[in-house]
Structures are given as structure tokens and as C-alpha cells.
């Protein structure tokens, strides 16, 4: 709005300098770019990120399987850990030694994180593995992928707006320097005679 007001104020003002008009135009162009280009950029980046993340989520769900593992024993002095892949509240997990059967039918034995606060031998818990039974992380779910995509789009819009504002600031800085340089030139030309009687007559 300041840019529009500035252009209207300077359009027929005899005191208008070229730098004043240029500064108002720079502000108006920056305003339009922030209002139009930044949201469009955010939407495009968000859509692209969502497509990529949803595809990754589908691939992970296809390649990973949730199997049932059986606790053999708890690993002593193991602190409770949290599941970094959980989309909701952080789930406490305890390190245990467990047995499980891979989707391909091969038996496995080893350390794993169980979603149990106080596991006992024989307790069952879900364990994400690949097709060969190797422990892996929980696959990305659709809601989390969408959240990441929205954040990516919002960040892209903010970065675009910040870039436009930075360019505007630099342009205005150069215009102000140019204005001051002209003032110095005018003062050098008029200054020695300033205040003398008959100056300019």
C-alpha cells in the first residue's frame, strides 16, 4: 500500500525526483511478487514434495512388513527410547533380545526395540523388517508425508518472500546512495555561494 500511495503522490509532484519514483516502483513490484509469486512457489514446491513423499511412503509400505517378535530377555541397563518415526505421541521403547520370523519364512534372533515399558520373556510386540527379516524403521505414513510437504511449501514461500524483500532492500539502498551523491554534487556547485547577496541574479 505504501508503494501505491507513493506512486500516486509522486505522479504530478514537481518535487518528485527520479529516485523517488524508482523507489516507489521497486516497492510496488516487490509487493506484487510477494503477494503472487511467493504463494505460487510455495504451492508448486509443496505439491512436488507431496508427490515425492507419498511415492516414498508407498514404496516403504511395499518393502517393509510388520512381523510379530517374541521377547527372549530384556537388555539390562537399557534406557527407554522413543520411536522417531511415530506420527503421534512419542512411544517409549525398550531394548530387548527377541526372536522373529521374516516375511520370507527365515527365523531371526537379535536385539530390537520393543514398544513395551517392562518387557518379560514371552511377551509379543510388533517389529518392522524388510522382506529378509532385517530390522528397519517404521514406514512413512501418508499424514506425515503431507505434513512435511506442507511445511516444505510454506518454507519455500517464506524464502521467496525473503529473497524479494532482500532484493528490494538492496535496490532501495542503491537508490538512496545515488540520491545522496546527487545532493553532494548539487551542494558542491551551490555551496560556495550559499547565503551571499545577489547569488543567482
Amino acid at each position: 500500500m505504501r508503494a501505491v500511495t507513493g506512486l500516486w503522490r509522486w505522479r504530478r509532484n514537481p518535487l518528485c525526483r527520479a529516485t523517488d519514483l524508482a523507489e516507489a516502483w521497486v516497492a510496488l513490484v516487490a509487493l506484487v511478487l510477494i503477494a503472487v509469486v511467493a504463494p505460487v512457489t510455495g504451492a508448486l514446491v509443496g505439491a512436488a514434495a507431496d508427490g515425492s513423499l507419498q511415492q516414498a511412503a508407498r514404496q516403504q509400505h511395499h518393502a517393509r512388513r510388520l512381523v510379530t517378535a517374541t521377547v527372549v530377555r530384556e537388555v539390562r541397563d537399557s534406557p527407554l527410547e522413543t520411536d522417531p518415526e511415530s506420527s503421534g505421541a512419542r512411544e517409549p521403547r525398550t531394548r530387548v533380545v527377541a526372536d522373529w520370523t521374516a516375511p520370507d519364512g527365515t527365523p531371526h534372533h537379535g536385539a530390537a526395540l520393543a514398544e513395551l515399558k517392562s518387557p518379560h520373556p514371552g511377551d509379543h510386540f510388533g517389529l518392522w523388517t524388510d522382506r529378509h527379516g532385517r530390522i528397519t524403521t517404521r514406514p512413512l505414513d501418508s499424514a506425515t508425508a503431507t505434513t512435511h510437504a506442507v511445511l516444505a511449501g510454506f518454507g519455500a514461500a517464506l524464502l521467496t518472500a525473503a529473497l524479494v524483500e532482500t532484493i528490494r532492500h538492496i535496490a532501495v539502498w542503491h537508490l538512496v546512495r545515488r540520491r545522496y551523491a546527487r545532493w553532494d554534487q548539487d551542494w558542491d556547485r551551490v555551496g560556495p555561494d550559499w547565503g551571499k547577496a545577489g547569488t543567482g541574479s
Side-chain angles (χ1 to χ4, degrees), residues 50 53-54 57-58 61 87 139-149:
D50 187 58
L53 290 171
Q54 294 295 346
R58 287 191 295 271
H61 276 280
S87 59
L140 182 66
D141 61 84
S142 180
T144 303
T146 300
T147 300
H148 289 323

Side-chain angles (χ1 to χ4, degrees), residues 66-75 94-102 106-116 118-129 133 135:
L66 182 62
V67 300
T68 300
T70 303
V71 175
V72 175
R73 62 181 172 82
E74 180 181 359
V75 177
T94 307
R95 188 170 296 279
V96 298
V97 175
D99 293 324
W100 67 93
T101 301
T106 57
H108 289 266
H109 175 86
L113 290 176
E115 296 178 359
L116 302 169
S118 54
H120 301 286
D123 288 349
H124 300 289
F125 63 96
L127 184 66
W128 286 98
T129 70
I135 297 176

Side-chain angles (χ1 to χ4, degrees), residues 69-92:
T70 303
V71 175
V72 175
R73 62 181 172 82
E74 180 181 359
V75 177
R76 295 298 177 187
D77 301 325
S78 62
L80 288 178
E81 301 187 31
T82 56
D83 181 9
E85 299 295 326
S86 176
S87 59
R90 300 294 186 183
E91 298 175 356

Side-chain angles (χ1 to χ4, degrees), residues 11-93:
R11 66 190 181 103
R12 291 183 181 176
N13 193 324
L15 298 177
C16 176
R17 298 162 294 195
T19 53
D20 295 324
L21 195 58
E23 185 176 341
W25 274 111
V26 166
L28 180 60
V29 170
L31 178 65
V32 171
L33 289 176
I34 290 174
V36 176
V37 176
V40 170
T41 301
L44 292 176
V45 170
D50 187 58
S52 178
L53 290 171
Q54 294 295 346
Q55 181 180 1
R58 287 191 295 271
Q59 290 175 347
Q60 289 181 7
H61 276 280
H62 181 70
R64 301 175 186 182
R65 296 287 185 272
L66 182 62
V67 300
T68 300
T70 303
V71 175
V72 175
R73 62 181 172 82
E74 180 181 359
V75 177
R76 295 298 177 187
D77 301 325
S78 62
L80 288 178
E81 301 187 31
T82 56
D83 181 9
E85 299 295 326
S86 176
S87 59
R90 300 294 186 183
E91 298 175 356
R93 312 186 94 187

